[in-house]
Amino acid sequence: MFLSAPTKKTFLPSMEAGIALLRDFLPSDSRRLRLRRRPSPAFPRSIRASSSPLGQYRGPQPKRDLVADWVADNDGFVRSLPIYVGGSSLLAVLFNRTVSGIAPVADASSAQSRADLLTLGLAVTNVLAGLVWLSIRPKPISVVEPLGVECRRIRSDLPESVVSELLWSLAIIYDGHCIMQIGMAAKSSANDGEAEDVDANKLMQGSLYQGIINSRAQSYLANLSLYPGRSELPFLPFNTQAVILQPLGDKGVAVIGGDTIRGFTTSDQTWITYIGEKLDAALAKYVNDSSILMQERV
């Protein structure tokens, strides 16, 4: 911190002694006076925000599993490693019998022959394990582009408060009707460029719907192509990868499609469950109010 000194110096006579002392420490041509800050109590630097560079995180760092990272980066080598170990063991046994002068024919009375046979068995087991590891590889998971048409179908008699709650889902069947269908949907079989209609009655008679209503639990089809119930959801794009069927009380179900195999995480399933409960509360209130109005009209 710098302070500018006055250009014209006028001091009282009683201050001449102090000025003389200052002149001993400051150059005569100095135009600025540097003031030293007096040390003040401060918190430890480890908890001061100004002690770390801007934008640099100084908190605890996540631990990394170096072994797991190395295995993931060298997947091919790790899978073939048992073959190398088994092959090397076979060569080592043959080399040992050659240089040790032992007869190539195994002799059951010889301890060396019994040890070699055991080693050969373990080596062959390693080779076979390596071949199995190489033949079984996880199928790569990729995101697909849904093949269908854009769809946004909502019953016109629903109030805005209920519609705002429904816009989370793809298809909602409630009280025997498909009250909403949005997002990507399969093309209509009539080839008119429209989305395939949801046949609520047919869906409600299927095993998927009945199982969900009876169990009152969410059903997650992580790989839809492996489930025979896929035929009960013809309104979804044919390349839909995963589906969540969320019960809405005992009167309906929400169908949410995904574009990735096992694409819905545990967190996704949890918040879909909560949203299903909220949708059920909103729709149940609407259905009850509609029933009361119909009774009053009658």
Side-chain angles (χ1 to χ4, degrees):
M1 182 175 179
F2 295 88
L3 295 177
S4 298
T7 55
K8 185 177 181 181
K9 302 179 180 179
T10 56
F11 302 99
L12 295 175
S14 60
M15 299 178 62
E16 291 181 356
I19 298 301
L21 293 175
L22 289 176
R23 287 176 179 175
D24 294 339
F25 292 95
L26 298 177
S28 60
D29 58 347
S30 172
R31 295 292 181 179
R32 294 182 181 273
L33 178 63
R34 182 184 296 272
L35 298 182
R36 293 185 179 180
R37 291 184 178 182
R38 183 179 181 181
S40 58
F43 293 103
R45 290 185 175 272
S46 59
I47 60 174
R48 292 181 59 186
S50 60
S51 62
S52 59
L54 183 61
Q56 181 178 356
Y57 177 70
R58 298 296 297 273
Q61 299 294 333
K63 296 182 179 180
R64 295 184 57 187
D65 192 341
L66 299 180
V67 176
D69 294 342
W70 183 85
V71 171
D73 296 337
N74 302 273
D75 181 72
F77 173 75
V78 173
R79 289 179 179 275
S80 57
L81 186 60
I83 298 179
Y84 299 143
V85 174
S88 301
S89 300
L90 289 174
L91 295 178
V93 171
L94 296 178
F95 178 77
N96 179 62
R97 294 188 68 89
T98 302
V99 299
S100 60
I102 302 175
V105 180
D107 185 5
S109 60
S110 174
Q112 181 65 39
S113 297
R114 293 194 297 269
D116 291 343
L117 288 175
L118 180 60
T119 305
L120 290 175
L122 295 176
V124 172
T125 302
N126 278 331
V127 173
L128 294 178
L131 294 175
V132 171
W133 285 9
L134 289 176
S135 62
I136 300 177
R137 290 179 178 271
K139 184 179 179 181
I141 299 176
S142 59
V143 178
V144 301
E145 185 70 22
L147 300 178
V149 296
E150 287 288 344
C151 177
R152 183 184 174 90
R153 294 173 178 168
I154 304 176
R155 288 189 59 170
S156 58
D157 58 344
L158 292 178
E160 288 296 329
S161 59
V162 176
V163 172
S164 63
E165 300 288 346
L166 298 176
L167 293 179
W168 290 88
S169 306
L170 174 65
I172 293 183
I173 295 87
Y174 197 85
D175 198 26
H177 303 280
C178 178
I179 62 175
M180 192 196 70
Q181 183 182 8
I182 62 173
M184 297 297 296
K187 292 183 179 180
S188 174
S189 56
N191 293 325
D192 54 1
E194 296 293 330
E196 182 72 20
D197 292 328
V198 178
D199 191 342
N201 293 328
K202 184 177 180 180
L203 178 62
M204 293 171 62
Q205 296 173 1
S207 59
L208 287 179
Y209 184 91
Q210 293 297 328
I212 294 171
I213 295 299
N214 294 332
S215 64
R216 298 287 188 89
Q218 182 186 96
S219 178
Y220 177 29
L221 309 181
N223 191 350
L224 186 60
S225 61
L226 301 180
Y227 292 88
R230 171 69 176 87
S231 59
E232 300 179 17
L233 307 171
F235 52 88
L236 295 178
F238 78 92
N239 64 339
T240 302
Q241 303 295 298
V243 167
I244 285 182
L245 301 172
Q246 174 62 41
L248 304 178
D250 58 351
K251 292 185 178 180
V253 63
V255 183
I256 303 99
D259 58 0
T260 308
I261 296 176
R262 295 184 293 276
F264 293 101
T265 64
T266 304
S267 299
D268 296 333
Q269 300 175 50
T270 302
W271 68 256
I272 288 175
T273 300
Y274 291 141
I275 291 177
E277 296 175 355
K278 186 173 178 60
L279 291 178
D280 178 42
L283 292 172
K285 181 180 179 181
Y286 164 72
V287 171
N288 293 335
D289 293 343
S290 300
S291 302
I292 293 175
L293 292 175
M294 291 296 295
Q295 293 176 2
E296 292 177 352
R297 292 177 182 177
V298 173

